[in-house]
Amino acid sequence: MISALFGLGAALSWGTGDFAGGIASRKVGPYRAVFVTETLSFLLILLILPFKAEAFPAIHTILWSVGSGIFSTFGLLSLFIAMQHGRISIAAPISAVLAAIVPVVAGIFIDGFPRGILIIAFALALVAVTLISKEKETADSVPISKKLITFALLSGTSFGVYFVMMNRAGQNAIIAPMLIGRFAAMLVTGSYLLFGRKSFHIEAGNWFPLFLSALFGTGGNAFYILAGQSGRLDITAVLSSLYPGMTVILAWLILKERLQFSQWVGILLALVAIALITLA
């Protein structure tokens, strides 16, 4: 129950953060958006550090954290690029399908084969994400480009690896994995901007969505680590990968992106999957 609640909290937080970051990336570009988001997240974690005492992390925690930060960056960059080439409500769910599959496979080797009710719940969750990503073609529909599909799939794979690595990094700590991971992410994106002689400038009107992306992204990481400490990797990752549901709902409410009947069915199935996992 506790693991499921934390996993759901991660999904809600990440979905909100991805929506805000996707909006900002359309104006400032994906690389600057990710760099600023990761930097703000790093600073937010530094503010928490004095209030949460932890022992210095072991070498394996540091290595897993660095890896998770790098793959998280690749995933976020790919997702923001996908969002630049199409609708947010399409890019996020496609990414989430692979983000869920990778840790489920890894979870079989780490935690053993899941019980029957969990297999049903995982299947429903994957179907839910797929339905959420389906869009009916209309006369005014924006075509789903190959770049959107390519970068959304790359994003999902990267996030899936991140789920596994952060789960390993966060077994005995909360703050250290997030802080190290964000620092590694800052170095990757900052180096690209610096050596590529790209501008670091962010116009005043774009800071608010970037801050929201950092705030909710940090919250999602914390919820995910807590979920991983109290439950199976596959349960934690599958629930966390439902984040597109929140992204799609926000796109519907704020951007007025229309949802098809199949997408509403997908959201309903996601709720059923959450209930089954909670009861398991």
Side-chain angles (χ1 to χ4, degrees):
M1 174 67 77
I2 295 176
S3 177
L5 290 176
F6 282 140
L8 186 57
L12 295 176
S13 295
W14 277 332
T16 304
D18 286 349
F19 175 79
I23 294 296
S25 71
R26 290 178 172 179
K27 298 179 180 179
V28 305
Y31 291 94
R32 278 190 294 171
V34 171
F35 174 74
V36 172
T37 298
E38 301 290 9
T39 302
L40 290 174
S41 178
F42 179 78
L43 294 175
L44 286 171
I45 299 168
L46 277 181
L47 292 176
I48 302 171
L49 191 58
F51 304 97
K52 177 65 176 175
E54 288 185 353
F56 190 82
I59 185 63
H60 66 85
T61 299
I62 295 174
L63 294 176
W64 283 119
S65 300
V66 169
S68 71
I70 292 173
F71 276 97
S72 174
T73 299
F74 289 155
L76 203 55
L77 279 172
S78 300
L79 181 60
F80 286 171
I81 293 173
M83 288 177 174
Q84 280 189 315
H85 291 89
R87 292 174 53 165
I88 289 176
S89 57
I90 298 300
I94 293 176
S95 167
V97 173
L98 272 179
I101 291 175
V102 172
V104 165
V105 174
I108 294 175
F109 293 96
I110 295 173
D111 297 318
F113 207 79
R115 288 185 292 167
I117 190 172
L118 287 178
I119 296 175
I120 295 172
F122 293 163
L124 285 176
L126 293 177
V127 172
V129 172
T130 303
L131 287 175
I132 292 171
S133 70
K134 289 178 69 67
E135 182 180 17
K136 183 179 179 181
E137 292 290 335
T138 62
D140 59 346
S141 293
V142 178
I144 301 177
S145 68
K146 290 183 178 179
K147 283 190 175 181
L148 185 151
I149 299 295
T150 300
F151 281 103
L153 292 176
L154 179 60
S155 169
T157 304
S158 299
F159 280 141
V161 176
Y162 159 79
F163 281 153
V164 177
M165 288 190 163
M166 182 54 80
N167 178 269
R168 297 294 90 193
Q171 292 298 304
N172 301 303
I174 299 175
I175 301 299
M178 292 197 297
L179 195 64
I180 296 169
R182 292 317 96 204
F183 184 72
M186 280 171 45
L187 288 181
V188 171
T189 51
S191 298
Y192 172 83
L193 292 173
L194 182 64
F195 292 110
R197 297 183 179 180
K198 307 292 182 180
S199 173
F200 285 83
H201 176 69
I202 301 292
E203 295 181 0
N206 296 318
W207 280 100
F208 182 65
L210 288 171
F211 174 76
L212 286 180
S213 180
L215 179 63
F216 284 99
T218 302
N221 288 332
F223 278 128
Y224 180 76
I225 291 175
L226 290 170
Q229 290 179 350
S230 55
R232 290 175 56 102
L233 166 62
D234 45 19
I235 292 177
T236 302
V238 168
L239 284 175
S240 300
S241 69
L242 293 173
Y243 63 84
M246 190 63 182
T247 305
V248 166
I249 289 173
L250 289 173
W252 170 59
L253 289 174
I254 297 175
L255 301 181
K256 308 303 179 184
E257 292 189 358
R258 290 179 294 175
L259 299 183
Q260 306 298 329
F261 175 75
S262 62
Q263 291 176 306
W264 285 114
V265 173
I267 292 173
L268 179 61
L269 287 178
L271 294 175
V272 174
I274 292 169
L276 288 177
I277 291 173
T278 303
L279 294 172

